[in-house]
């Protein structure tokens, strides 16, 4: 068997990102708070960076803060400062002034429920059992495991050997805590727990009967059938149904951790405001990132650099040069990121100008990443990263930049309509439908065709689901 060795030459074109380009890509994806944190970290790590001098940070004013100003500096923004910090103390020196004290949040669901339990007459040896039961509640307050499984977990994992009667007894204590509905096994059980705590009345009795015995008919909106089975009239049935609808299907959702509250806080990256003219719009970036410059002792003209250059301490010169280059690159990255974001936002504004002028979602034009790439000259990947996780504030609301990207839909007119326009039309049709006979997907399809939209019925159903709107039978009101 012969072996042949051959040598070939191939030519390929490869594009590799430099470390500086990769860092720019990462910074482009960051939100404004993340960039601020990156700047603070870079200022701590690189001695060649410093804040640019500004009238607000002049040395003459740096050490003339009052004690009250120093206390206010502990807050991130004026919106976070409690109202009492702005109150004027119009009192004499002899008057007593009571400073309000900030109180921490309630804590997690487990903390709130365990605090309530310790205020009851529950035996101390039952607290570990209650804590284990509470630990098996989800964020809505429902029990995620059966009592038999919890009994086995207590025996094998916690070394607590108790019978099913004791687990059931502690479980009922947990279900008696606030808010009503905690510890429910399912939605029906959750509603029954809340109804049992209401003052007894004819409406409460009828509502309890509906939930306990005819919950399936209630879920399917079979009100005529309920009226016949319960031997009641339409007025009484309507009051009972409204009472059931007033109950909370997720009783524990109101108990939110402070981390969840911070997560829901949105800081817009852009602000679009009307200009002096009626048709003009102004785009600004509420930039909280301070201006950075090269620290004076690291500049080439500084005496320290000149003195070290004349000596043989090459290590010091290399350190100064490296840190100065890193600082210069970081300043350029911040400037490049800001310019890129402004160009992308300007292109979006140009494409969706009618929406920013009217705030009417039906005026949104079809727009994809390729359209913005063509206007800015950037690659599609750059547009995707520049719009990811970014928000724009308008006079009416705050929108994610991804909201403005949508595919076009065929119509019987000359212009394409955007998916947002279809969603707005479906919302409008359902909002004005008769409550006793809601529009089916087929009826919605016909109504949309009259408005010039050529869609399939399954497409209408898909957009209705995207809006979180149930089918017609579940929208029927008594």
């Amino acid at each position: 068997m012969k072996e042949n060795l051959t040598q070939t030459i191939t030519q390929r074109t490869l594009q590799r990102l430099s470390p500086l380009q990769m860092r720019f890509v990462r910074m482009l994806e960051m939100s404004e708070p993340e960039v601020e944190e990156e700047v603070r970290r870079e200022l701590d790590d690189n001695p060649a960076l410093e804040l640019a001098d500004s009238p607000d940070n002049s040395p003459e004013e740096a050490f003339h803060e009052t004690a009250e100003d120093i206390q206010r500096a502990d807050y991130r923004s004026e919106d976070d400062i409690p109202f009492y910090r702005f109150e004027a103390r119009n009192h004499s020196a002899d008057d007593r002034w009571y400073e309000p004290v900030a109180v921490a949040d309630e804590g997690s669901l487990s903390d709130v429920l365990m605090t309530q339990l310790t205020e009851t007459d529950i035996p101390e040896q039952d607290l570990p059992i209650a804590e284990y039961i509470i630990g098996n509640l989800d964020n809505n307050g429902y029990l995620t495991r059966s009592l038999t499984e919890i009994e086995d977990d207590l025996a094998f994992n916690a070394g607590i050997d108790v019978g099913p009667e004791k687990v059931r007894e502690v479980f009922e204590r947990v279900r008696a805590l606030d808010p009503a509905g905690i510890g429910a096994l399912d939605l029906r059980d959750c509603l029954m727990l809340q109804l049992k705590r209401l003052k007894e009345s004819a409406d409460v009795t009828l509502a309890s009967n509906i939930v306990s015995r005819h919950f399936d008919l209630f879920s399917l909106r079979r009100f005529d059938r309920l009226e016949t089975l319960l031997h009641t009239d339409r007025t009484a049935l309507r009051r009972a149904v409204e009472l059931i609808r007033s109950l909370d299907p997720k009783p524990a959702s109101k108990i939110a951790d402070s981390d969840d509250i911070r997560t829901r806080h949105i800081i817009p990256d852009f602000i679009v405001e009307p200009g002096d003219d009626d048709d003009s719009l102004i785009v600004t970036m509420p930039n909280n990132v301070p201006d950075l410059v090269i620290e004076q002792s690291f500049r080439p003209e500084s005496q320290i650099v000149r003195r070290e250059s004349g000596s043989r301490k090459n290590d010091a010169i290399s350190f100064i040069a490296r840190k100065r280059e890193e600082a210069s690159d970081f300043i350029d990255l911040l400037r490049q990121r800001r310019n890129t974001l402004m160009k992308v936002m300007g292109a979006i504004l140009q494409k969706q100008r009618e929406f920013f002028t009217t705030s009417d979602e039906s005026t949104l034009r079809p727009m994809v990443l390729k359209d913005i790439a063509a206007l800015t000259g950037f690659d599609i990947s750059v547009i995707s990263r520049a719009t990811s996780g970014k928000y724009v504030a308008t006079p009416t609301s705050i929108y994610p930049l991804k909201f403005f990207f949508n595919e076009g839909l065929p119509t019987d007119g000359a212009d394409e309509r955007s998916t947002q326009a279809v969603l707005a039309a479906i919302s409008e049709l359902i909002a004005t439908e008769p409550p006793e006979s809601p529009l089916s997907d087929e009826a919605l399809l016909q109504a949309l065709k009259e408005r010039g939209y050529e869609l399939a019925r399954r497409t209408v159903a898909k957009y209705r689901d995207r809006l979180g709107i149930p089918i017609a039978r579940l929208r029927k009101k008594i």
Side-chain angles (χ1 to χ4, degrees), residues 43 181 280 295 334 363 467:
L43 283 171
S280 63
E295 204 272 334
L334 289 177
T363 61
L467 292 169

Side-chain angles (χ1 to χ4, degrees), residues 350-369:
Q350 177 182 346
K351 196 75 175 176
Q352 305 290 359
R353 186 178 188 83
E354 188 175 358
F355 169 80
F356 285 103
T357 305
T358 62
S359 298
D360 184 4
E361 294 186 10
S362 62
T363 61
L364 282 172
R365 299 176 57 190
M367 185 180 76
V368 294
L369 295 175

